[in-house]
Amino acid sequence: MKSTTGTSIYHFDGARHALASARKLRDTVAAQGVQLRMGIDVGRVLLFELGPGLRDVAGSPVNVASKLAQDAGVFGVIHLTAAAARQAGLPDVTAARAVRVGGVTVEAVAV
């Protein structure tokens, strides 16, 4: 997990686990009257040590997921790239729509 100025980044081994965790987090905080904007992408990332007990994560999937949440995000909705949605096993990835985030157009699904 990485948190900075209101943004948290979580790393998972797969999209199914990421989506399940995002849904659980969304439902848990919604029950407390809080809504989140969330984005999920898949791909290779770099995890590295910053110092004793400090880590960071970087890479295109981190940037795309962050931009989905920030630029295209709707409070209470989880946005996944089409690739993440397919890996998560969502049935209707054909409903993906083109979303422009950070100067790049990605196919995304909202759940």
Side-chain angles (χ1 to χ4, degrees):
M1 181 184 124
K2 172 183 172 182
S3 289
T4 57
T5 40
T7 301
S8 295
I9 299 171
Y10 298 86
H11 175 261
F12 296 93
D13 289 330
R16 284 182 193 269
H17 186 207
L19 180 56
S21 294
R23 283 177 164 158
K24 184 173 183 178
L25 178 61
R26 176 184 61 188
D27 296 346
T28 299
V29 299
Q32 298 169 26
V34 177
Q35 291 190 332
L36 304 174
R37 293 181 299 184
M38 294 185 257
I40 299 174
D41 193 15
V42 294
R44 299 183 82 138
V45 297
L46 176 63
L47 297 169
F48 53 95
E49 295 283 332
L50 294 174
L54 299 173
R55 296 184 197 170
D56 203 353
V57 59
S60 181
V62 174
N63 297 335
V64 170
S66 176
K67 286 300 195 175
L68 273 176
Q70 293 173 7
D71 294 357
V74 174
F75 284 102
V77 177
I78 303 166
H79 296 274
L80 299 90
T81 60
R86 279 190 294 277
Q87 283 191 22
L90 291 181
D92 194 12
V93 178
T94 57
R97 62 182 174 83
V99 176
R100 187 125 177 108
V101 292
V104 177
T105 301
V106 297
E107 293 292 313
V109 174
V111 294

